[in-house]
Amino acid sequence: MRYLPLTEADRQEMLAAIGAPSVDALFGDVPAAARLDQPIAGLPNHQGELQVERALSRLAARNVPAGSCPSFLGAGAYRHHVPASVDQLLTRGEFLTSYTPYQPEVTQGTLQYLFEFQTQVALITGMDVANASMYDGATACAEAVLMANRVTRRNRAVLSGGLHPHYRDVTATTTGVLGVDLVTLPADPKGIEDLAAAIDDKTSCVVVQNPTLFGHVADLTPLAEACHAKGALLVVVVTEVVSLGMMPSPGSMGADIVVAEGQSIGNGLNFGGPYLGLFATRDKFVRQMPGRLCGETVDADGKRGFVLTLSTREQHIRREKATSNICTNSGLCALAFTMHLSLLGEVGFTGLARLNHAKAVQLADKLAAAGVSVLNQGFFNEFTVQVKGDAAALVDRLAAEPILAGVPVSRLHPGQADLADLLLVAVTETTTEDDMDALVQALGGKQ
Amino acid sequence: MNTQGRKTTPDVESAAATDVGTYTGNRALVHEEPLIFELDNPGVTGVDLEAAPAVASRLGGLKAREGIGLPGLSEPTVVRHYTRLSQKNLGIDSTMYPLGSCTMKHNPRLNEKLARLPGFGDIHPMQPQSTVQGALELIDQLAHWLKTLTGMPAVAMSPAAGAHGELCGLMAIRAALQARGETGRTRVLVPESAHGTNPATAAFCGFTVDAIPAEANGRVSVEAVKAKLGPDVACIMLTNPNTCGLFEPQVKEIADAVHAAGGYFYCDGANYNAIVGRVRPADLGVDAMHINLHKTFSTPHGGGGPGSGPVVLSDALAPYAPLPYVVHGADGFRLVEHEGEVEQGAQPFGRMKAFHGQMGMFVRALAYIMSHGADGLRQASSDAVLNANYLKARLQDLMSVPFDGYCMHEALFDDRFLKDTGVTTLDFAKAMIDEGFHPMTMYFPLVVHGAFLIEPTETESKATLDQFVGAMRHLAGKAKAGDAAHFLAAPRYTPRRRLDETAAARKPVLRWAPPAV
Ligand SMILES: Cc1ncc(COP(=O)(O)O)c(C=O)c1O
């Protein structure tokens, strides 16, 4: 067995040093009735690399990669081009195979990139500070509501109808057990809801996604003012983080907490995980933040270095009084993000966002010209179209071509007849004009 | 987990040379590397994009953003920067990394290769299910292995890590209690030796935490549990093998007592790697247990994550497993995503994560499991336990052992052997760094003083273990001989020497800011 270095002779020598008659004897504390004498039946034995590769490649071949056909899938996960150097660097064993940086002298590499990551996230969200990552955007959203409750000592959160339903559900699941009062507005395909009207003196926060699930974009400044007037916080959710290269930052519009899905930068689709939760806030709230934080300090020689800090918020110190139970986070996804964003830089990040937006406008125009109705006035790289008949059935039909035509709204908001003909269509820099024409052809009424 | 609030600044001002004596401040292979922000060359980029189509912006009247403040770097600069940062890190690839409870074992590269196949890495979570049948089958196959190995009837695959799995398990318990109409069960029993995530999770799930004291032998006794049981107890969260590296001999009696009192048994499965293929948790009376795929099944820790924490569930809890999950029907595999689609009897408690789980980790874990097979998994846990006992046997005459007898996959020592030497566990750990090892977990579990929790794992050879033993004996001898100065000045050969954690927390600097002009 290629991963196991001990020989039978080693084992015997080691048992002799231990003074144990057998390895079985080491398991003497296991109740006799629960001891297994043989490998578990019905499972295959070990296999070589070649055999494992063959078996799993066969499974992989039964999936249609999004990059192998025209794809317009978004709704919280986006296919972007990740530069080759990102993955090459990511697989360096010193990064890949290290643990959480508990011993800072031998993990300055990890700690420095976390410090860079936190700074980049703070810059693009327009906030003061960011943590070292959460599991994904949805869990970050739930944690934001809990944090807003701690900060305001209130217990009612208002969730926009433009919020991704999975984010809504994760938030409801997580906060429900704590008795948090959630006011959930109905799905808002037209982008016309009045969130300010839902705020009262008991509201801890308003959670609003920008762009919304349906692609609508908004200036959140008036909403932030309405929140602050009532002593509530504004939590802004961003599921397509590339939008921050073009849209005004949530911080500049008055957000108190910004949570985002960072997958778009540096990370592949991976069928939904692992992804990267971003979490940023104002300086004054930092001690209420969940998750790890890396901070700057000096070493015994007075040289700059980095350590994990403010850990008195965390489970390993505070146990049941911690701000969150999170321990393992999304470290390596954060590294991929920070490397990709370093490659992009100011020119690349703003350019990438403008390219995504321009291509989306191009597709929206082509669709409109073909008689397909686009619901959005404004959008970033994703918008909602109204198709003839059932959008889910259409998507299934086109998958046979294959064209991955987008995400039918009914898959996220099931059981609502008025949403059944809506389709979310996303465009990124990977979308070609041929891809667009294929979709226009497939959806267009005038062809 | 490595702090009991011990001070981490050196006790004495070391006289070691600060001045490296080179023009650059570099020391050959060890470079002084600035932050990316300090490497900024405005206007430079490492990515060339195609020209955007000439269209008018349609941002709903929002003004397009400028001046974010990101630095400009070319690809060569970026590649060199991160390569240099990597050289300031230790990984399991570099050296033995016996970080107890964290299971730093070899990470096979086949698994990396397979996770990157476009058929796994480049599929979207919302693709039509007909286009992802292989992915759903992979999830189902991994679930089958996890269920068969643990003997449990069901598994929730979506939790993102161990602590997230704990939350999943406790939410299932909460839902089951609610279904029984027993909402008065609000207390969760957690042994003192438990990992911090256990009490944190219980509180995060709305329960109150009641600590069970540890026995003098490092175990939890059924009497201590019984003394705490009552009609308001929801469950016990018991780690087995426990955080002292010991199998709980009374685990079955404890499970029976908890069940008799109407509660559930949540098992923290962080240490499942010690018993895979040798014990099935189902036979111990477990109702829910998370499996850290990033520990037991070797998906890389990546400097802090990502992980994956599937939770196996008993029949009593299976109906409450969260959405989404995979089922096998007449026309292939299907992902159940909504309450309206669930089969008879299922009452999912909600959703844990945006999508279906940590697919990238599933591919790696399944590749690891198939490479080992039933025989290899049993051999791996046997070797892990053998390696730990070997270390314990070879070190117990010089270091102090809080609990007698054989251990499981990790050997626990306390700091009594350092009494009156002026050397702390932390100092000792820093001297191990100079010897070329990553230190063990320190100051955890909390139930012993100045803990050294050493987990070698099965992927270390006897030669490496012998070298490690030699280094530990050398250091223990040095400490006892009164050479505290050796420890207080350690580490000497790292890119940075001891870092001032107190100063970092007192005046937090959590991001780079441009120098004031
Ligand atoms: C005993 C124990 N329980 C729970 C956890 C939490 O697991 P994770 O870090 O995957 O959330 C850990 C890991 O550090 C652990 O060692």
Side-chain angles (χ1 to χ4, degrees):
Chain A
M1 278 173 239
R2 62 189 178 277
Y3 305 135
L4 300 177
L6 297 187
T7 64
E8 209 37 53
D10 289 335
R11 293 187 183 109
Q12 290 312 320
E13 227 181 292
M14 292 164 75
L15 282 170
I18 297 164
S22 64
V23 169
D24 288 350
L26 303 175
F27 287 84
D29 280 340
V30 177
R35 268 180 233 161
L36 303 174
D37 299 330
Q38 294 292 322
I40 291 170
L43 296 171
N45 279 339
H46 67 279
Q47 298 180 53
E49 263 210 19
L50 176 62
Q51 287 68 38
V52 175
E53 182 164 348
R54 200 179 274 152
L56 292 194
S57 299
R58 232 177 255 144
L59 286 180
R62 293 183 45 220
N63 304 317
V64 179
S68 67
C69 61
S71 169
F72 302 89
L73 295 161
Y78 300 86
R79 183 169 192 278
H80 289 282
H81 175 73
V82 178
S85 51
V86 171
D87 203 48
Q88 293 282 316
L89 291 164
L90 205 63
T91 52
R92 287 189 67 94
E94 303 91 330
F95 288 137
L96 182 75
T97 75
S98 68
Y99 201 78
T100 302
Y102 293 132
Q103 295 284 351
E105 298 86 355
V106 288
T107 45
Q108 283 299 299
T110 300
L111 287 158
Q112 185 168 333
Y113 80 64
L114 288 177
F115 190 77
E116 294 173 349
F117 168 79
Q118 289 174 184
T119 307
Q120 287 172 323
V121 174
L123 285 170
I124 63 174
T125 55
M127 303 301 282
D128 299 331
V129 284
N131 75 9
S133 79
M134 309 298 288
Y135 303 133
D136 70 5
T139 64
C141 178
E143 292 264 15
V145 168
L146 295 176
M147 175 171 146
N149 286 3
R150 289 193 294 274
V151 167
T152 59
R153 297 170 192 273
R154 296 179 183 179
N155 196 37
R156 176 177 298 162
V158 176
L159 306 188
S160 156
L163 181 64
H164 195 300
H166 292 172
Y167 285 51
R168 176 201 65 200
D169 290 351
V170 172
T171 302
T173 301
T174 312
T175 64
V177 292
L178 294 170
V180 177
D181 181 8
L182 286 190
V183 179
T184 307
L185 274 64
D188 181 30
K190 302 214 173 83
I192 50 172
E193 71 186 355
D194 183 3
L195 272 168
I199 308 172
D200 63 21
D201 293 342
K202 296 211 172 77
T203 308
S204 67
C205 64
V206 171
V207 180
V208 62
Q209 182 175 320
N210 201 26
T212 71
L213 174 75
F214 301 94
H216 303 291
V217 294
D219 178 2
L220 300 176
T221 314
L223 181 60
E225 282 162 6
C227 286
H228 297 156
K230 289 257 165 66
L233 304 189
L234 178 65
V235 175
V236 176
V237 175
V238 181
T239 59
E240 167 53 299
V241 74
V242 170
S243 67
L244 296 177
M246 190 173 185
M247 307 249 300
S249 76
S252 70
M253 296 189 280
D256 299 288
I257 303 174
V258 180
V259 291
E261 175 50 69
Q263 170 269 329
S264 283
I265 302 288
N267 290 276
L269 290 170
N270 288 315
F271 201 43
Y275 280 4
L276 171 65
L278 309 183
F279 197 112
T281 189
R282 303 278 177 205
D283 268 333
K284 60 183 171 191
F285 301 137
V286 73
R287 279 168 208 276
Q288 292 298 339
M289 244 183 157
R292 296 206 172 96
L293 283 166
C294 170
E296 184 182 315
T297 188
V298 291
D299 79 349
D301 292 335
K303 289 185 188 159
R304 178 173 71 184
F306 303 94
V307 292
L308 292 179
T309 193
L310 297 184
S311 45
T312 48
R313 302 163 299 110
E314 292 184 71
Q315 46 76 25
H316 60 287
I317 308 287
R318 283 301 284 284
R319 299 177 77 85
E320 64 266 32
K321 297 199 180 63
T323 52
S324 167
N325 70 337
I326 191 169
C327 180
T328 290
N329 57 20
S330 297
L332 202 69
C333 303
L335 175 59
F337 177 99
T338 198
M339 292 192 299
H340 188 180
L341 195 52
S342 295
L343 285 163
L344 286 164
E346 182 84 13
V347 172
F349 187 54
T350 52
L352 179 66
R354 282 157 176 76
L355 177 58
N356 272 252
H357 180 62
K359 286 197 175 221
V361 171
Q362 193 179 20
L363 177 60
D365 285 347
K366 282 177 185 265
L367 284 167
V372 179
S373 108
V374 175
L375 259 54
N376 306 60
Q377 290 300 316
F379 54 86
F380 172 63
N381 69 350
E382 188 167 18
F383 49 80
T384 306
V385 299
Q386 197 161 20
V387 300
K388 290 197 201 72
D390 185 69
L394 174 72
V395 165
D396 282 342
R397 207 158 56 239
L398 292 176
E401 305 241 348
I403 297 173
L404 300 171
V407 177
V409 170
S410 62
R411 188 157 173 194
L412 298 166
H413 281 291
Q416 273 186 255
D418 56 327
L419 305 176
D421 59 353
L422 301 184
L423 179 67
L424 305 178
V425 175
V427 179
T428 74
E429 75 283 1
T430 65
T431 313
T432 64
E433 269 210 76
D434 286 349
D435 294 341
M436 295 186 196
D437 292 340
L439 186 73
V440 171
Q441 178 90 43
L443 301 188
K446 286 188 187 159
Q447 258 78 11
Chain B
M1 66 181 65
N2 60 5
T3 166
Q4 271 176 5
R6 290 288 187 286
K7 140 175 206 271
T8 56
T9 38
D11 283 325
V12 291
E13 281 305 316
S14 65
T18 310
D19 184 10
V20 184
T22 59
Y23 170 75
T24 53
N26 298 337
R27 279 172 289 169
L29 274 65
V30 183
H31 288 84
E32 288 299 307
E33 184 62 13
L35 293 164
I36 48 169
F37 307 97
E38 295 158 344
L39 294 167
D40 180 20
N41 198 356
V44 172
T45 180
V47 176
D48 293 319
L49 299 167
E50 70 176 284
V55 293
S57 136
R58 209 171 300 167
L59 268 192
L62 296 176
K63 202 164 138 342
R65 184 177 183 187
E66 320 251 1
I68 298 171
L70 295 171
L73 311 165
S74 65
E75 176 173 310
T77 308
V78 169
V79 169
R80 187 168 289 164
H81 175 74
Y82 289 103
T83 301
R84 287 179 173 182
L85 291 193
S86 77
Q87 290 167 337
K88 298 176 198 295
N89 255 17
L90 283 187
I92 186 66
D93 280 3
S94 344
T95 188
M96 179 168 160
Y97 206 124
L99 196 63
S101 212
C102 303
T103 311
M104 296 298 283
K105 59 169 79 176
H106 173 64
N107 299 154
R109 288 312 194 277
L110 168 67
N111 310 353
E112 294 305 305
K113 179 178 176 187
L114 296 177
R116 286 167 171 79
L117 293 175
F120 296 135
D122 191 27
I123 49 175
H124 188 283
M126 294 280 107
Q127 279 184 218
Q129 296 188 17
S130 60
T131 65
V132 290
Q133 284 295 302
L136 297 177
E137 182 169 347
L138 183 134
I139 296 175
D140 188 67
Q141 278 189 19
L142 178 60
H144 176 73
W145 273 97
L146 299 179
K147 288 184 288 186
T148 312
L149 289 170
T150 57
M152 304 285 282
V155 59
M157 295 298 286
S158 66
H164 208 217
E166 293 170 28
L167 187 61
C168 175
L170 263 63
M171 288 201 170
I173 288 170
R174 198 172 225 287
L177 289 170
Q178 216 140 36
R180 277 163 42 184
E182 298 196 47
T183 48
R185 291 186 177 268
T186 54
R187 194 156 51 96
V188 170
L189 306 182
V190 183
E192 281 175 343
S193 57
H195 191 259
T197 50
N198 290 188
T201 300
F204 205 67
C205 198
F207 292 109
T208 57
V209 177
D210 196 357
I212 303 175
E215 301 296 311
N217 65 3
R219 276 87 168 173
V220 175
S221 77
V222 67
E223 284 74 33
V225 172
K226 278 185 177 157
K228 293 278 189 182
L229 284 172
D232 62 334
V233 168
C235 69
I236 187 169
M237 294 182 88
L238 186 69
T239 308
N240 188 45
N242 71 23
T243 61
C244 301
L246 304 170
F247 194 92
E248 291 287 358
Q250 298 191 321
V251 57
K252 187 65 174 61
E253 288 85 341
I254 292 170
D256 291 345
V258 171
H259 288 152
Y264 293 97
F265 175 13
Y266 185 87
C267 182
D268 180 331
N271 296 334
Y272 177 50
N273 60 307
I275 58 170
V276 178
R278 299 199 67 112
V279 181
R280 298 188 314 164
D283 298 331
L284 305 174
V286 167
D287 289 298
M289 181 183 90
H290 73 259
I291 300 171
N292 310 63
L293 297 185
H294 46 299
K295 298 182 178 185
T296 300
F297 298 122
S298 112
T299 72
H301 279 101
S308 179
V311 180
V312 287
L313 297 167
S314 64
D315 281 321
L317 298 182
Y320 308 101
L323 294 166
Y325 53 83
V326 177
V327 294
H328 194 196
D331 48 350
F333 293 91
R334 192 165 63 84
L335 196 59
V336 177
E337 295 179 292
H338 302 291
E339 270 182 38
E341 305 165 3
V342 304
E343 60 285 25
Q344 184 83 34
Q347 294 168 260
F349 68 69
R351 176 183 275 271
M352 305 273 322
K353 217 175 160 289
F355 299 109
H356 336 307
Q358 304 284 69
M359 182 67 177
M361 304 294 118
F362 297 162
V363 178
R364 292 169 174 89
L366 184 61
Y368 174 93
I369 286 174
M370 289 172 70
S371 293
H372 283 77
D375 55 339
L377 291 171
R378 181 180 164 92
Q379 189 66 58
S381 42
S382 304
D383 284 356
V385 170
L386 180 64
N387 278 357
N389 277 287
Y390 180 67
L391 290 185
K392 186 172 183 185
R394 299 262 338 253
L395 294 172
Q396 60 189 0
D397 60 321
L398 267 184
M399 294 171 68
S400 39
V401 176
F403 310 121
D404 289 333
Y406 298 134
C407 60
M408 290 274 101
H409 61 300
E410 48 200 359
L412 177 63
F413 299 92
D414 59 27
D415 63 1
R416 280 172 301 160
F417 77 104
L418 294 174
K419 191 166 184 301
D420 300 329
T421 60
V423 177
T424 63
T425 301
L426 179 102
D427 301 326
F428 200 98
K430 302 302 182 195
M432 288 167 67
I433 291 175
D434 277 344
E435 296 289 345
F437 295 103
H438 192 285
M440 66 286 150
T441 288
M442 7 174 250
Y443 302 112
F444 175 82
L446 306 175
V447 292
V448 305
H449 200 268
F452 290 63
L453 188 64
I454 306 179
E455 179 177 13
T457 83
E458 70 279 8
T459 58
E460 294 305 334
S461 67
K462 179 164 176 298
T464 304
L465 297 180
D466 285 336
Q467 194 198 29
F468 180 77
V469 165
M472 294 296 275
R473 295 188 69 88
H474 169 75
L475 292 176
K478 244 183 171 359
K480 289 183 187 189
D483 191 359
H486 176 80
F487 295 86
L488 295 176
R492 293 173 182 76
Y493 308 120
T494 41
R496 285 291 179 270
R497 296 180 56 235
R498 280 199 215 187
L499 290 135
D500 193 339
E501 295 183 13
T502 316
R506 193 167 347 109
K507 262 192 101 194
V509 178
L510 304 174
R511 59 176 284 189
W512 175 85
V517 269

